[in-house]
Amino acid sequence: MILTATHDLLLQIQHAQIFNPTPETPPLADKLLRLVRYFTWFVLLSGVLAIVYAGGRFAWEKWSGSALQAPKQVAGALIGGIIATSAGTIMNAVIGQ
């Protein structure tokens, strides 16, 4: 009984016309994409600068013999860079694309 009802429902769905809308670009999408590209470059540049700064500070602390704080900065910059570069993948996983 359930099987025949399911079969009839599937036949009705098969013969029905299903509306398939075409996607349309939202207003100001090109400007938003440009802003995202600039932000991406800013994040990448700031990550590289953070690693270079932390590496220089690490060398200075090692040379001067003071307490080593820079390895924490290097690790933080690397973790931040990993999160920043994988943000697109994370968002696609959350959205489900």
Side-chain angles (χ1 to χ4, degrees):
M1 175 140 193
I2 294 175
L3 187 58
T4 58
T6 306
H7 183 329
D8 292 339
L9 180 63
L10 287 175
L11 284 176
Q12 288 176 359
I13 291 173
Q14 183 181 8
H15 294 296
Q17 289 195 5
I18 299 173
F19 178 65
N20 190 8
T22 57
E24 184 178 319
T25 306
L28 301 175
D30 54 342
K31 292 181 181 181
L32 182 62
L33 286 175
R34 180 181 289 178
L35 181 66
V36 168
R37 287 185 202 114
Y38 285 150
F39 182 70
T40 301
W41 277 109
F42 173 74
V43 168
L44 291 174
L45 182 64
S46 65
V48 168
L49 289 176
I51 291 173
V52 169
Y53 172 75
R57 188 165 174 196
F58 181 67
W60 178 259
E61 289 173 355
K62 189 81 169 167
W63 181 71
S64 66
S66 61
L68 296 177
Q69 297 295 325
K72 294 176 190 175
Q73 288 180 336
V74 172
L78 289 175
I79 291 171
I82 290 169
I83 291 172
T85 55
S86 62
T89 307
I90 293 170
M91 289 306 293
N92 284 337
V94 169
I95 294 172
Q97 289 184 349

